[in-house]
Amino acid sequence: INSYGHLTWEWTHGLRGYSYPLIFAGIYKALQLLARDDVQLLIWVPRLAQAVLAAFADVKLYLLVRQLENAETAKYVYFCQLCSWFTWYSCTRTLTNSMETLLTIFALSYYPIKGSKMGSSCKYLALVALAVVTRPTAVIPWIPLLFSHFLLEQRKADLILHSCLPVGLVTVGTSLIIDRVFFGEWVLVQLNFLKFNVLQNLGTFYGSHPWHWYFTQGLPVILGTHLPFFIHGCVLAPKRYRVFLMAVIWTMLVYSMLSHKEFRFIYPILPFCMVFCGYSLKHLKAWKKSATGFLLLSNLLPALYTGLIHQRGSLDVMSHIQQLCNNSYQPQASVFFMMPCHSTPFYSHVHCPLQMRFLQCPPDLTGSESYTDEADVFYSNPLGWLNKEFDNDTLLPSHLIIFSVLEQEISSFLALRGYERTATVFHTHLPQGRVGSHIYIYQKITEMN
């Protein structure tokens, strides 16, 4: 949109599709044409758009349960969804996992489960297909539901010929064309994604966990205090909801076979879980008010902490970087983020052609056993790496951004090259490894003066 920015290695290797980012690119372009592309609008408008979709998805979940059960049960499902700390934390983030979850809820509202009056094969299949285009893993929780629908469908040939094939061809075809325009060649992103994450299992480069992690940590953490209500709801819920439980268990089993695991990967199954949690609350008797109060308070605190305080430095530090783009902007200004890769946002939070660089950490796609990414090389010997990388003072950036844990190790380099700390930004109460409690901004005073 603005002829500057940065594309990560995933785009070079065709692991990401342009369909989802095109939504936000359209927003940016509209703001540019309206001469309203202020950096704050670039930051907040995508979040607000995601928030509106999330709110709409919550309402669709409520309407679905009201059709299947009654208004009271729907009210408790809606309450569980709204007070989930992980929903608060994730729903407005512009991650593909967030959009995958929202599209899953929209699709679920049209899924032809027994008792639904809004069931529509074409509508729900189209929404599932859009979710898969956004993130190919979206198909995983839908496999049990698709299989169940196929078994119960009397007109199987019509379902395949008049619904599945047309929807698949249109959505995948459109995605292919969009990617062809932007990549400049035919790229099947979904196939590349499958090869990288499943066949080659290269996601382990970013860390691995034991097979049982989603059962012992993943789901219990994102459910939080909803967990006992989820278990209770699974016991009480009618047979027709078993397909929802199958989707939850199936998804966790599939993801458990992959070494690299993250909480956000199972975010799309959270709405399924909330149906059981709401069903549990509805059928509580003497403890209903106490249970709702407990859920609200126990989720409010982690939601506020993770949403407003924990790891906030990554965003707050960008407001300091933005100042380099004001009227006093100098072309020679440059910023180097000496932090674990992708620790902060980038040009979307700066909105000017400021020279910026961060430590790279692409996985090895060549099969070399001795491969080490730039970030690991740096952290193995920070001082030696800096002296070698910036052996000439003309190469030094005007600003260095580091976590507090790195300061002591490179203090001699900072002092010798004329850097002084100009700002300290709080990041987290729980520093770990390469991530410190604060972020420090160092400026090369001798050069800037």
Side-chain angles (χ1 to χ4, degrees), residues 371-389:
Y371 173 79
T372 307
D373 65 64
E374 184 183 42
D376 283 340
V377 173
F378 169 79
Y379 278 105
S380 66
N381 182 14
L383 192 59
W385 188 93
L386 287 170
N387 288 325
K388 182 179 179 182
E389 185 76 7

Side-chain angles (χ1 to χ4, degrees), residues 426-446:
F426 170 77
H427 184 61
T428 179
H429 292 110
L430 305 169
Q432 186 177 15
R434 298 172 179 177
V435 178
S437 60
H438 290 77
I439 297 174
Y440 295 154
I441 301 178
Y442 274 86
Q443 181 177 342
K444 198 173 190 307
I445 303 299
T446 53

Side-chain angles (χ1 to χ4, degrees), residues 382-402:
L383 192 59
W385 188 93
L386 287 170
N387 288 325
K388 182 179 179 182
E389 185 76 7
F390 301 111
D391 56 346
N392 188 330
D393 281 3
T394 59
L395 301 174
L396 290 169
S398 63
H399 292 75
L400 298 177
I401 316 296
I402 65 171

Side-chain angles (χ1 to χ4, degrees), residues 26-43:
I27 292 173
Y28 287 165
K29 189 64 179 179
L31 291 172
Q32 185 188 62
L33 293 174
L34 294 170
R36 293 289 185 270
D37 56 338
D38 176 78
V39 65
Q40 292 301 320
L41 288 178
L42 294 187
I43 293 171

Side-chain angles (χ1 to χ4, degrees), residues 284-319:
L284 289 179
K285 296 179 180 178
W287 299 95
K288 188 174 294 185
K289 286 185 178 181
S290 299
T292 53
F294 167 71
L295 274 178
L296 180 60
L297 291 175
S298 61
N299 280 272
L300 183 62
L301 293 177
L304 291 174
Y305 181 76
T306 56
L308 300 176
I309 300 173
H310 182 57
Q311 295 185 345
R312 64 171 296 145
S314 295
L315 296 175
D316 290 346
V317 75
M318 299 309 293
S319 62

